[in-house]
Amino acid sequence: MADLRNTFAGIHSPNPFWLASAPPTDKAYNVHRAFEAGWGGVVWKTLGEDGAPVINVGGPRYGALLSPDRRMLGFNNIELITDRPLQTNLDEIRAVKRAWPDRALVVSLMVPCTEDAWKAILPRVEDTGCDGVELNFGCPHGMSERGMGAAVGQVPEYIEMVTAWCKHYSRLPVIVKLTPNITDVRLPAAAAQRGGADAVSLINTVKSIMGVDPVTLRMSPNTGGMGSHGGYCGPAVKPISLAMVADIGRAPATAGLPISGIGGIGNWRDALDYLALGAGNVQVCTAAMVYGFKIVQEMTDGLSGYMDEMGFKTTEDFRGRALASVTDWQYLDLNATSKAVINQDSCIQCGRCHIACEDSSHQAITATRDGQRHFEVKDADCVGCNLCVIVCPVPECITLRNLAPGEVDARTGLVVSGSPANWTTHPNNPMRLAAAPA
């Protein structure tokens, strides 16, 4: 039986699924409900300095990118840090931690970039009995205009300086939350490590504008006709976050630095991707806002079932296992070759593969045979690009076949050497099981 108990940066929780610092963790009522649903931990919504009131807009704070069937693809948020009094939050944090001693409770912080500001707030937060602090160096809207959030996270020297202050004035584990709005995430991660950070979390939201109203030709959403860029999150940002998590995990300067993965996690499969690329746990926000707190039950059940099938006892058994398969492009095996194969029994003759290949790829799929509508791959022209697999509406109707070492590539006439190029679809790959539905 899989054991989901998790230790991250010295903080213990019954499972690796935490709620990220965001509207769902704004108050005790929400956090109690989250813990009742089964979340292993929460990061309390970001607290600011005492006596500096935060005022949010009274109109739309959220925007979304929806698919035609109204599935959430991306989410935009212009809400600021907590607008509740600091002492109210601290009192609730203390009460929640006492009520749920086995759950992880980390407090997100954002105050001006002065030593006195951090020195003042840290003892008050530590006195609540919380398990750690997360430094919000990632928020791209509102607070960044005041010299906080991403304005700090984009300057490695500031990250190192503030992290060092926090380690000096607090005994709590310090997690540094990184911004994706930067050229190379390895630089701020290394700065956090030099400052003494116990871990990093990433990504925070991506600076974004959702669109324009076609009638008024004003930014949408807006309040009183005016809008501002917000932070983009949800399923659309997951690939961005995974790349950054892998970058930090592979970099010699940050090797071994604990990582909390954030961005687009809506089910156990998403969490698996983060853990396999080196994250020690994951944080969830958008999915909880869209579907409610009980989604964690599918996450824990699905991950447990996967681990049982694979023979993994704990998440440490597979954490980081995928990192070895990530490399720079120059090191890829250019001798490996794949060919697309269409399963004629499941083909619905829609022709999308042919159109995509004919118009924008390598003209490697025929449209007719003996005067009849029929789609088939021409091995001599196929380069194994995978476009037809992606556009096909029927799952596994089109797959890639890896040419075995020694097999002749009909397109080039060359003998294939090396190992199969695409282990995701290779029949001998045990990790294919990870793609099975929960």
Side-chain angles (χ1 to χ4, degrees):
M1 181 67 69
D3 184 354
L4 292 185
R5 287 178 296 180
N6 181 262
T7 300
F8 179 77
I11 302 170
H12 303 288
S13 58
N15 62 62
F17 297 100
W18 292 8
L19 281 174
S21 169
T25 63
D26 184 41
K27 60 179 72 72
Y29 176 83
N30 300 53
V31 176
H32 281 303
R33 287 177 56 83
F35 285 155
E36 288 167 357
W39 291 91
V42 303
V43 182
W44 202 276
K45 186 173 181 181
T46 307
L47 309 184
E49 63 179 337
D50 209 3
V54 171
I55 301 176
N56 277 293
V57 297
R61 301 178 187 180
Y62 307 140
L65 177 65
L66 303 176
S67 69
D69 60 355
R70 295 193 60 81
R71 288 184 300 110
M72 176 70 68
L73 301 178
F75 192 78
N76 176 279
N77 175 15
I78 63 167
E79 188 167 294
L80 302 180
I81 65 174
T82 182
D83 53 11
R84 305 166 70 233
L86 176 61
Q87 191 57 52
T88 299
N89 278 294
L90 295 176
D91 291 342
E92 291 186 4
I93 291 167
R94 180 181 293 105
V96 169
K97 184 57 189 177
R98 288 179 178 175
W100 299 91
D102 68 322
R103 308 302 173 93
L105 203 166
V106 173
V107 178
S108 177
L109 298 176
M110 182 193 294
V111 297
C113 201
T114 66
E115 186 171 1
D116 286 344
W118 288 97
K119 181 180 179 180
I121 197 170
L122 284 164
R124 297 178 66 182
V125 173
E126 187 169 339
D127 186 58
T128 65
C130 69
D131 297 301
V133 293
E134 182 180 79
L135 313 186
N136 186 342
F137 294 156
C139 184
H141 58 275
M143 305 307 294
S144 58
E145 299 168 17
R146 310 176 193 186
M148 293 178 275
V152 177
Q154 291 167 339
V155 184
E157 293 81 4
Y158 291 172
I159 293 174
E160 181 177 356
M161 176 178 68
V162 177
T163 303
W165 290 340
C166 293
K167 290 301 295 181
H168 179 71
Y169 292 114
S170 175
R171 296 167 296 179
L172 293 171
V174 174
I175 304 168
V176 174
K177 191 171 187 179
L178 303 177
T179 176
N181 303 292
I182 194 164
T183 305
D184 189 342
V185 76
R186 294 172 295 184
L187 301 179
Q193 189 171 47
R194 289 194 302 271
D198 297 280
V200 293
S201 59
L202 67 151
I203 58 173
N204 207 307
T205 52
V206 180
K207 183 177 177 179
S208 60
I209 289 177
M210 296 307 290
V212 172
D213 186 300
V215 176
T216 65
L217 294 180
R218 291 181 178 271
M219 177 183 160
S220 178
N222 65 64
T223 300
M226 299 295 291
S228 177
H229 72 263
Y232 195 53
C233 53
V237 309
K238 177 188 165 188
I240 299 171
S241 182
L242 288 177
M244 293 186 173
V245 167
D247 281 347
I248 294 172
R250 295 175 57 221
T254 51
L257 179 64
I259 300 170
S260 182
I262 310 171
I265 300 163
N267 54 55
W268 71 271
R269 275 293 288 111
D270 296 325
L272 172 64
D273 290 341
Y274 278 93
L275 297 172
L277 284 170
N281 72 0
V282 294
Q283 297 184 35
V284 179
C285 172
T286 305
M289 294 180 71
V290 174
Y291 300 110
F293 288 151
K294 289 185 179 181
I295 61 166
V296 73
Q297 294 163 14
E298 182 277 336
M299 294 179 177
T300 54
D301 289 348
L303 187 60
S304 293
Y306 162 78
M307 291 169 61
D308 288 342
E309 290 284 350
M310 295 293 288
F312 297 136
K313 299 299 183 184
T314 73
T315 56
E316 287 299 305
D317 292 343
F318 63 91
R319 185 177 66 83
R321 288 272 288 271
L323 271 180
S325 65
V326 181
T327 189
D328 295 336
W329 194 95
Q330 61 182 319
Y331 301 120
L332 297 178
D333 181 3
L334 300 185
N335 292 319
T337 303
S338 300
K339 301 293 182 181
V341 178
I342 300 175
N343 184 336
Q344 298 299 330
D345 291 335
S346 57
C347 178
I348 61 174
Q349 304 295 317
C350 67
R352 291 184 61 185
C353 60
H354 168 72
I355 293 171
C357 189
E358 193 74 12
D359 289 354
S360 60
S361 195
H362 293 82
Q363 297 76 53
I365 298 179
T366 63
T368 61
R369 187 175 69 179
D370 298 331
Q372 300 296 317
R373 187 177 180 89
H374 179 84
F375 302 97
E376 194 164 342
V377 176
K378 297 183 288 184
D379 277 358
D381 296 321
C382 179
V383 300
C385 71
N386 207 44
L387 178 60
C388 58
V389 177
I390 293 171
V391 302
C392 178
V394 181
E396 298 187 5
C397 175
I398 306 179
T399 56
L400 289 186
R401 181 180 72 85
N402 300 293
L403 271 62
E407 189 172 352
V408 176
D409 180 357
R411 182 177 63 89
T412 64
L414 299 177
V415 175
V416 176
S417 62
S419 58
N422 190 341
W423 283 99
T424 302
T425 58
H426 195 267
N428 294 332
N429 176 20
M431 291 300 286
R432 287 190 72 198
L433 184 61

